[in-house]
Amino acid sequence: MQRKSDVLSKLDEAMSLVEKIEVFTSRVKPGEEVKPGVIYQIYESLILLKEKILEARLIILQEDK
């Protein structure tokens, strides 16, 4: 049961990052120059999202052992 809650926690964190990325991308307007800070925030959030997904995947894979 602990692993299930760990995976759900990682997925909750991933969803929070997706929502954060949505906020950042909503600042990008067609035809306007994108500020480097916004690009960095999107990039950083994507990297953290990838890490959370990988963490959840590792928890699931370890359960099979």
Side-chain angles (χ1 to χ4, degrees):
M1 280 301 195
Q2 179 63 32
R3 287 187 177 166
K4 183 178 179 178
S5 72
D6 289 344
V7 171
L8 289 174
S9 174
K10 297 299 176 191
L11 291 174
D12 286 341
E13 291 175 37
M15 284 305 301
S16 293
L17 287 165
V18 168
E19 291 168 358
K20 190 175 180 181
I21 293 166
E22 285 178 327
V23 169
F24 293 141
T25 56
S26 70
R27 296 181 189 170
V28 177
K29 306 291 183 224
E32 290 184 7
E33 185 176 331
V34 181
K35 295 179 183 177
V38 173
I39 293 171
Y40 179 77
Q41 289 174 323
I42 292 169
Y43 171 77
E44 181 181 44
S45 297
L46 284 170
I47 296 301
L48 291 172
L49 175 60
K50 180 181 175 182
E51 288 177 7
K52 297 302 169 191
I53 292 169
L54 289 173
E55 288 172 5
R57 185 175 184 269
L58 284 173
I59 293 169
I60 292 168
L61 289 174
Q62 288 174 351
E63 193 170 279
D64 293 340
K65 291 182 180 181

